[in-house]
Amino acid sequence: QVQLVESGGGLVQAGGSLRLSCAASGLAFDNYAMGWFRQAPGKEREFVAAIRWSGATYYSDSVRGRSTISRDNAKNTVYLQMNSLKPEDTAVYYCAAGRDTGRDTATLSFGGTYDYWGQGTQVTVSS
């Protein structure tokens, strides 16, 4: 059984920071690209950031410059450090895992690339 378990969400004031974590089990972590997506109330799921097995990263325009995705393969864990948070960052954040095919990094922005998803962690940013 594959499990992705997110943690680190919470309530933070605008301008603050959070670090989200996603612990993976039941898969060959080193062979997978890992991604973060989010879904705000009344909106569709959107891509946030992704990291390939090689460590190459890809960010959405909305978070580029404010967020950093990283992975610790020894711990089977991926992180999303979020700084300068804005109220529009409020959403449920989901961790996802997909077998890395070696295609263009931009393909990692599509949800269909991923095979497994976590349960989500709530991030709420107040003004």
Side-chain angles (χ1 to χ4, degrees):
Q1 55 278 325
V2 174
Q3 286 193 100
L4 303 177
V5 181
E6 300 99 331
S7 61
L11 175 64
V12 64
Q13 291 188 352
S17 298
L18 287 172
R19 189 182 74 161
L20 308 183
S21 299
C22 173
S25 61
L27 53 77
F29 188 77
D30 292 3
N31 295 331
Y32 281 78
M34 303 296 297
W36 287 96
F37 291 75
R38 67 187 183 186
Q39 187 166 19
K43 297 186 180 297
E44 295 184 350
R45 181 183 62 191
E46 67 171 335
F47 170 74
V48 178
I51 185 167
R52 297 181 64 173
W53 63 268
S54 65
T57 58
Y58 182 61
Y59 298 93
S60 69
D61 291 340
S62 62
V63 305
R64 186 178 296 110
R66 300 188 295 123
S67 300
T68 302
I69 187 171
S70 61
R71 65 192 295 162
D72 186 338
N73 290 340
K75 296 181 178 179
N76 289 357
T77 301
V78 63
Y79 305 94
L80 182 67
Q81 176 68 43
M82 305 176 67
N83 302 319
S84 301
L85 285 163
K86 306 173 181 179
E88 50 263 46
D89 293 318
T90 295
V92 177
Y93 283 70
Y94 297 93
C95 175
R99 192 67 179 263
D100 199 325
T101 64
R103 295 174 294 170
D104 290 349
T105 302
T107 64
L108 300 177
S109 67
F110 297 100
T113 296
Y114 301 90
D115 302 308
Y116 305 104
W117 296 81
Q119 82 287 353
T121 185
Q122 176 71 49
V123 171
T124 302
V125 184
S126 64
S127 59

